[in-house]
Amino acid sequence: MNRLSVSLLMQMKTSAATMLAETEDSLRVQLPAVSPGGSIVLPLDIVAALDSHRKHKIMLFCAWSSAPYEFLLSLRSPFTISHSLHTAGQQKFLQVLLHGECAESFSVVQPQLYVLDTDAITVTSINIPDQIGVINKEQNISFMWKLNLDPQQDPDVLPLQFTVIYKRLKEEEEVVRPSRKCTYSVSLANYKTLYSVTSHVEPASGVTFCRAGHMCRLHVQIAMMFTTTDVSLMYEVIADQPMWAVCGRTAGIIMVKEDSVNQVSLDVMPLVGGYLPVPEVKLSKYIREERRDSETENSEQHDLPPAQSSTPRGAFSGKQSPAHCLPPVPRQESFSKGQVYNKSQAMQVHVLPASNTSSLELGGHVVV
């Protein structure tokens, strides 16, 4: 008789064994009789739930032994699941990717994405209907949905649930393998697009083309797309150093107002010719730290005139902390993925190579 550990499922390929009992945490099977010195072969299919632990065991009970024999099993998940949120302006797309983990192939059908806890948001599938996907160690598969958001009713946290039906594939099957359902939960927070960034490079005034070694102008436009309290922003120009040289400051602080577009211009110089990627502009929150009212009151209370203060100059009293005398320190905080949409991502600018011509005066004539 053998018994399986919790969350294991077993399917017998022969009628030689007899199932005795099945409970929530165990399965008891009566093995066939075997003569002394003999052996039996009992093919089994053992499956565990995807969300269970991967270490399991089988216990074999024998009449001649008071303690059972234990066999440890290490099961491998057929695939793992991850997700990614993509942004196009204010539109959002959710991609669910299935990564194959074993050499055997599995079929996946009927991918579904459900919105939980709200009816104001729906999803639109952009997958091929009735497609039968195959996944293994060398082949992944992904699915994508468009999120139909409502700016007036969008929740701060959007819970989603992805389900798919999978089945093991194998040639010359003797036993019909059942299909199983996999569930994957997704929770999206800070997913609304707050700002958009547009950047482009123009040649200097009076020049038609950008040329390597000559100054150009980088124009950046920052616009608010959704009302937010994070209006103090820090921008950073991140350029590929072998391709671009940014002249002057590469970072700054701006205050963004609703229904307005902030413009920033910087001098940049292309170092090589070709189709160069436009320097990236990164936005982050710029949070100014302010003293609490209680700290300010204590600071003002202990700031006595020199004639009335008994504390030596240059020393701090026991009631006053040195931190109260320091100015507030601002901090920088990154936006979540999808909150800033870069319209100019992957955009390129054509830069002509540096001019290598020179002039030489020979006999009163100029030769170029």
Side-chain angles (χ1 to χ4, degrees):
M1 181 184 301
N2 66 352
R3 188 173 67 183
L4 303 176
S5 59
V6 181
S7 71
L8 272 183
L9 300 176
M10 184 174 69
Q11 183 177 11
M12 294 178 292
K13 296 184 177 181
T14 178
S15 58
T18 304
M19 184 178 299
L20 295 181
E22 182 178 7
T23 62
E24 184 178 355
D25 61 348
S26 65
L27 174 66
R28 294 178 177 272
V29 178
Q30 178 69 49
L31 300 181
V34 58
S35 58
S39 63
I40 58 173
V41 177
L42 186 65
L44 300 173
D45 271 346
I46 299 178
V47 181
L50 290 178
D51 57 351
S52 65
H53 55 279
R54 299 188 179 187
K55 297 295 183 180
H56 301 273
K57 65 180 178 180
I58 294 180
M59 293 186 293
L60 178 63
F61 297 87
C62 302
W64 59 83
S65 176
S66 58
Y69 297 93
E70 293 187 357
F71 304 92
L72 298 180
L73 298 177
S74 180
L75 302 185
R76 182 171 49 188
S77 177
F79 55 84
T80 57
I81 306 179
S82 63
H83 70 276
S84 179
L85 182 65
H86 301 277
T87 301
Q90 291 184 333
Q91 300 182 11
K92 301 293 178 176
F93 299 85
L94 183 70
Q95 180 185 18
V96 180
L97 180 61
L98 276 63
H99 310 261
E101 296 290 338
C102 59
E104 296 188 17
S105 298
F106 289 78
S107 66
V108 290
V109 295
Q110 301 179 18
Q112 299 289 338
L113 184 67
Y114 302 96
V115 181
L116 307 179
D117 302 337
T118 179
D119 297 329
I121 299 177
T122 60
V123 296
T124 301
S125 174
I126 53 179
N127 304 302
I128 301 177
D130 302 326
Q131 180 187 20
I132 301 178
V134 178
I135 183 175
N136 51 47
K137 192 174 182 179
E138 299 180 354
Q139 181 174 335
N140 301 330
I141 189 171
S142 63
F143 306 98
M144 185 170 290
W145 288 265
K146 178 185 176 183
L147 305 181
N148 302 316
L149 304 176
D150 186 353
Q152 304 300 327
Q153 303 183 27
D154 290 346
D156 295 333
V157 179
L158 180 60
L160 304 169
Q161 187 179 73
F162 167 77
T163 62
V164 68
I165 305 298
Y166 68 98
K167 179 181 178 181
R168 180 183 175 187
L169 296 179
K170 194 173 182 180
E171 298 180 356
E172 300 178 358
E173 289 281 359
E174 298 180 359
V175 178
V176 179
R177 301 182 183 275
S179 299
R180 304 187 183 278
K181 185 177 182 179
C182 175
T183 302
Y184 176 75
S185 297
V186 179
S187 181
L188 299 179
N190 301 324
Y191 57 91
K192 302 174 184 178
T193 304
L194 304 181
Y195 292 98
S196 66
V197 179
T198 306
S199 55
H200 65 279
V201 176
E202 292 182 352
S205 179
V207 182
T208 307
F209 301 100
C210 294
R211 185 179 294 274
H214 293 259
M215 200 68 68
C216 299
R217 198 71 175 164
L218 173 65
H219 299 279
V220 181
Q221 294 181 346
I222 302 173
M224 181 184 296
M225 302 186 66
F226 190 85
T227 304
T228 176
T229 57
D230 299 319
V231 296
S232 180
L233 304 180
M234 178 178 182
Y235 68 87
E236 297 177 84
V237 179
I238 304 175
D240 195 343
Q241 294 184 357
M243 297 183 181
W244 294 96
V246 181
C247 305
R249 298 183 60 179
T250 60
I253 308 299
I254 59 173
M255 295 291 294
V256 182
K257 297 181 179 180
E258 193 173 358
D259 300 330
S260 65
V261 178
N262 292 67
Q263 298 186 2
V264 179
S265 297
L266 302 93
D267 290 327
V268 294
M269 178 185 294
L271 303 180
V272 294
Y275 288 89
L276 307 185
V278 175
E280 179 185 356
V281 178
K282 178 184 177 182
L283 287 186
S284 56
K285 306 174 188 177
Y286 186 77
I287 303 175
R288 292 179 171 88
E289 294 290 349
E290 297 181 358
R291 297 183 186 179
R292 294 175 303 203
D293 294 340
S294 59
E295 293 180 351
T296 305
E297 293 175 359
N298 291 336
S299 178
E300 294 177 354
Q301 181 179 358
H302 292 289
D303 286 343
L304 301 177
Q308 301 178 10
S309 176
S310 60
T311 305
R313 180 176 298 181
F316 294 97
S317 64
K319 297 182 179 180
Q320 183 180 6
S321 172
H324 293 162
C325 299
L326 297 177
V329 179
R331 58 188 176 91
Q332 181 182 357
E333 183 176 328
S334 300
F335 283 100
S336 299
K337 183 178 181 181
Q339 288 188 307
V340 177
Y341 176 60
N342 191 344
K343 293 184 178 180
S344 306
Q345 188 174 10
M347 184 177 291
Q348 296 178 329
V349 57
H350 186 200
V351 178
L352 298 180
S355 176
N356 56 0
T357 59
S358 60
S359 59
L360 179 62
E361 184 175 354
L362 294 176
H365 299 281
V366 178
V367 180
V368 179

